[in-house]
């Protein structure tokens, strides 16, 4: 985006000061972006005027563009064109101000977008680290559960009586005789043992 440039007369009209004031400020180095153009003379960027403390569209001082034009071209020129040139310079300055504000708003929005992207990336990293930690904890818990199962005693098995040599073991268990008698006697079999 190119910066609008005003010549000394336009700058004086836009800022409401005399051309002499603009020239003195330029010579003092307060307008560092000023360049000399062979066709238009000294051209001063509007941002330099604002940075030097000038207000655009300020009330006109005694040495304005209209006064310069009337001295050069007579009073009728001032009546016809003096206000138009001031309006053009003012509109140009206002347009540049609006462009500058827009550029600042766009830059601020871009900066906000970049910050949001950085924060989103940081949150993604934290989430992946947390997921890895949870997976490691789940694997550790599974290892501990397997260790506990391995350390638990085996379930107890019924003990078989000592085998008597020469006697075949039958499928007969102690206490089963009574149950067989009760079933034969018509009583319903119980799942618990009577004592």
């Amino acid at each position: 985006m190119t910066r609008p440039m005003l010549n000394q007369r336009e700058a004086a009209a836009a800022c409401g000061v005399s051309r002499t004031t603009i020239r003195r400020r330029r010579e003092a180095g307060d307008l560092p972006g000023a360049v000399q153009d062979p066709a238009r003379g000294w051209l001063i960027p509007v941002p330099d005027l604002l940075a030097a403390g000038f207000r655009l569209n300020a009330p006109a001082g005694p040495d304005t563009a209209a006064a310069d034009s009337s001295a050069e071209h007579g009073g009728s020129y001032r009546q016809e064109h003096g206000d138009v040139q001031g309006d053009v310079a003012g509109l140009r300055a206002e347009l540049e101000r609006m462009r500058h504000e827009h550029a600042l708003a766009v830059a601020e929005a871009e900066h906000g977008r970049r910050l949001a992207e950085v924060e989103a990336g940081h949150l993604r990293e934290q989430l992946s680290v947390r997921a890895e930690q949870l997976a490691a904890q789940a694997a550790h818990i599974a290892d501990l559960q397997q260790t506990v199962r391995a350390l638990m005693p085996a379930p107890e098995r019924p003990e078989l009586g000592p085998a008597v040599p020469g006697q075949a073991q039958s499928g007969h268990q102690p206490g089963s005789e009574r149950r067989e008698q009760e079933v034969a006697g018509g009583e319903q079999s119980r799942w618990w043992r009577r004592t």
Side-chain angles (χ1 to χ4, degrees), residues 8-24 59-72 78:
Q8 289 186 112
R9 183 174 27 97
E10 293 168 341
C15 297
V17 296
S18 68
R19 284 176 47 186
T20 307
T21 301
I22 298 292
R23 180 183 50 81
R24 278 195 308 254
D63 186 16
T64 62
D68 292 339
S69 299
S70 66
E72 294 174 4
R78 178 181 177 197

Side-chain angles (χ1 to χ4, degrees), residues 37-111:
D37 181 57
R40 293 182 61 198
W42 282 98
L43 299 178
I44 303 163
V46 172
D48 284 1
L49 291 170
L50 295 173
F54 290 111
R55 282 186 346 181
L56 297 178
N57 299 325
D63 186 16
T64 62
D68 292 339
S69 299
S70 66
E72 294 174 4
H73 301 289
S76 63
Y77 182 82
R78 178 181 177 197
Q79 290 173 354
E80 294 175 12
H81 302 288
D83 292 336
V84 173
Q85 288 181 350
D87 290 343
V88 168
L91 290 173
R92 284 182 182 164
E94 179 69 18
L95 176 63
E96 179 56 30
R97 184 187 63 77
M98 293 178 96
R99 284 180 179 167
H100 180 70
E101 287 177 359
H102 176 70
L104 286 176
V106 168
E108 187 176 336
E110 180 66 19
H111 180 68

Side-chain angles (χ1 to χ4, degrees), residues 162-172:
V164 178
Q167 183 181 9
Q169 284 188 343
S170 64
H172 184 62

